Amino acid sequence: MNDISLLVTIGKTTFANPVFVASGTFGYAKNVENIVSESTNYSLSELGGILPKTITMLPREGNPPPRTCETPAGLLNAIGLDNDGLEEFIAEKMPYLKTTGTKIIVSIAGRSSEEYAEMARRLSDVEGVDALELNISCPNVAHGTDFGKNPEACENLVRGVRNATPLTMFVKLTPNVGDIVSIAKAAEQGGADAVSLINTLLGMAVDWRRRAPRLGNRMGGLSGPAIKPVALRMVYQVANAVEIPVVGIGGIETIDDCMEFLVSGATAVQVGTASFYHPAAAQKIVRALPDAIRSLGAPDVRQIIRSLQ
């Protein structure tokens, strides 16, 4: 029997462990499960939580291709929140997601405060939805970061959603701001149960021979190992400024990455880009977590969170 407790609680939700897969990098889980189960002995039920691809109220086609571009230390993407909309998600995706054996945190994006609140209200009655993550930080759609760059707008949005749903609520923040602490504090003041950071850094890639951008949207979000130092710095700053849990995201691939975020202040982490080239990266971290915590002389993951000297 494992003598190390991995349980973490965020808002009203208790997670079996603090390792989640990030929205936009794991699809709606079903296709990834097929890949993982066919090539390894890992299971989706080992994950602390799954964040499916962000959904919007109405279907979106997304941005023109090319939508992704590899960089020396990461990935640029400009998907543009391509999805089939809220009703299709509820009818076609949730029946499977609720059978995965782990918590489901639904990522939502809206065009207005009212739309965020209405989506949250609708999802509150859907079986299998354990929590919400408000995506106010997508750099690849028009006005996708409006609520994530202004503290007052952020606080008002979060408060509106808080009044619309009893579900545990994460707020995903953009690093493309001058002062991320002020935005995190605004989300906390509005009633968020946690803040997730960071989303992608705005970047660009150019084909100089064609004298053209490599992405159809010209600019896109940079993720992967390249952004990890920035993410760690922001997680540390925010964790020391707010009382609510912080969920760390950015370049997490190994148990060492995970532990760095936990001791720096993250209550949980999300594995993103690594899932593209190693679909079981998050489960591998989960299995390595007890020994890593034990090596610090702690019996409980909660004792190492925010323990940076």
Side-chain angles (χ1 to χ4, degrees):
M1 181 179 293
N2 189 0
D3 59 332
I4 303 296
S5 173
L6 301 182
L7 294 176
V8 295
T9 299
I10 299 175
K12 299 177 180 178
T13 309
T14 297
F15 299 89
N17 66 70
V19 184
F20 311 155
V21 285
S23 175
T25 62
F26 217 68
Y28 296 107
K30 190 169 187 178
N31 290 340
V32 181
E33 181 186 36
N34 293 337
I35 295 171
V36 170
S37 62
E38 289 174 3
S39 59
T40 71
N41 63 341
Y42 294 103
S43 166
L44 297 187
S45 64
E46 296 179 65
L47 299 170
I50 292 174
L51 288 97
K53 182 175 174 59
T54 297
I55 57 171
T56 52
M57 180 71 81
L58 300 175
R60 284 183 59 93
E61 292 185 0
N63 290 324
R67 293 180 171 185
T68 61
C69 175
E70 292 187 32
T71 71
L75 179 72
L76 277 170
N77 93 83
I79 304 299
L81 300 183
D82 173 15
N83 75 101
D84 293 328
L86 176 65
E87 295 305 324
E88 182 75 6
F89 173 80
I90 293 172
E92 300 297 329
K93 309 302 184 185
M94 275 308 303
Y96 167 76
L97 285 166
K98 69 182 182 182
T99 70
T100 57
T102 188
K103 302 294 186 183
I104 302 300
I105 307 159
V106 180
S107 174
I108 63 174
R111 297 169 296 182
S112 66
S113 298
E114 293 76 17
E115 195 165 90
Y116 274 98
E118 180 56 33
M119 293 181 72
R121 185 178 296 109
R122 179 75 178 85
L123 287 162
S124 299
D125 297 323
V126 177
E127 183 183 357
V129 176
D130 297 292
L132 300 176
E133 183 175 81
L134 311 189
N135 184 350
I136 61 170
S137 51
C138 179
N140 306 316
V141 297
H143 309 293
T145 59
D146 286 357
F147 293 108
K149 289 185 173 180
N150 180 284
E152 183 178 0
C154 175
E155 181 177 340
N156 290 337
L157 168 68
V158 174
R159 181 172 289 109
V161 177
R162 179 74 289 158
N163 291 335
T165 179
L167 290 171
T168 295
M169 177 172 52
F170 298 41
V171 179
K172 190 171 185 178
L173 306 184
T174 176
N176 302 302
V177 293
D179 180 12
I180 197 167
V181 169
S182 66
I183 307 297
K185 286 182 175 179
E188 180 179 40
Q189 188 66 28
D193 295 301
V195 285
S196 304
L197 58 147
I198 58 176
N199 206 326
T200 55
L201 285 158
L202 189 62
M204 187 174 181
V206 171
D207 182 339
W208 66 267
R209 292 178 177 83
R210 293 191 303 114
R211 289 183 283 186
R214 293 186 181 275
L215 292 174
N217 195 54
R218 291 185 175 267
M219 298 180 217
L222 178 65
S223 62
I227 74 168
K228 179 186 162 189
V230 177
L232 269 175
R233 183 263 295 178
M234 289 189 168
V235 164
Y236 174 75
Q237 288 179 312
V238 170
N240 282 281
V242 300
E243 297 298 324
I244 57 176
V246 175
V247 179
I249 318 166
I252 299 169
E253 176 185 6
T254 68
I255 183 60
D256 291 324
D257 298 326
C258 173
M259 293 295 287
E260 288 172 20
F261 273 88
L262 293 178
V263 300
S264 296
T267 294
V269 299
Q270 294 180 21
V271 177
T273 300
S275 294
F276 289 130
Y277 51 87
H278 184 1
Q283 290 98 319
K284 188 174 181 181
I285 291 172
V286 172
R287 293 190 182 184
L289 196 52
D291 283 343
I293 296 169
R294 188 180 294 108
S295 73
L296 296 181
D300 190 318
V301 67
R302 291 170 293 185
Q303 291 188 11
I304 70 166
I305 293 168
R306 302 192 192 198
S307 63
L308 196 66
Q309 301 296 312

